[in-house]
Amino acid sequence: MLAAAGAISLSACSARTDSGSGDSSASSQSQAAAPSAAADAADPAGDGKAQCAPTSIAYAGTINGANAALGVNILNGAKLAVDQHNKANPGCQVKLEQFDTEGTPDKAPGIVTQIVNTPAIIGVVGLPFSGESKAAGNIFNGAGLVTVTPSAT
């Protein structure tokens, strides 16, 4: 489930298809439509036969503030994946919990500690920024919690 959420989160990004040269003739040319999903992207619906106890995954990252645009896009990708999974798998409903780190290394450790102390959370999408990942990643590792960062280096 978490891998599917991460795959959908990452596939929500799109590539720029114009040359950016300002040439007006380029805008009159037909452009191919982007595929709806990468050929090897995981399908969050799976086979529709999943069975599980109530469970959660978390998004941990910026939602508000100056860098919110990045975090909100990642969160929306995770929401899409969870919604698709839940629609296809009535026997395994997953809740997406949101935690705002504001993208800062000083706030992330407290938020991450809260996440690892929530037993229903089985995995995390985030932390988006390298500084917060460096400051708090060892907490996830120490707790054995699966995480996928969509953008941190």
Side-chain angles (χ1 to χ4, degrees), residues 21-116:
S21 66
D23 182 1
S24 63
S25 64
S27 63
S28 64
Q29 294 177 355
S30 175
Q31 295 181 6
S36 59
D40 60 351
D43 182 356
D47 63 6
K49 298 177 183 176
Q51 298 292 317
C52 68
T55 192
S56 296
I57 63 172
Y59 164 76
T62 184
I63 301 171
N64 298 295
N67 297 311
L70 175 68
V72 169
N73 287 328
I74 295 165
L75 176 60
N76 286 341
K79 283 181 184 178
L80 175 63
V82 169
D83 289 347
Q84 290 175 346
H85 167 83
N86 286 342
K87 182 178 178 184
N89 294 280
C92 182
Q93 296 296 288
V94 175
K95 180 180 176 185
L96 177 63
E97 299 191 34
Q98 303 173 32
F99 297 85
D100 189 2
T101 65
E102 298 175 10
T104 63
D106 58 328
K107 188 166 183 181
I111 298 294
V112 169
T113 299
Q114 182 181 355
I115 292 168
V116 300

Side-chain angles (χ1 to χ4, degrees), residues 116 121-123 137-147:
V116 300
I121 296 175
I122 62 168
N138 62 336
I139 300 170
F140 286 135
N141 290 339
L145 193 59
V146 175
T147 63

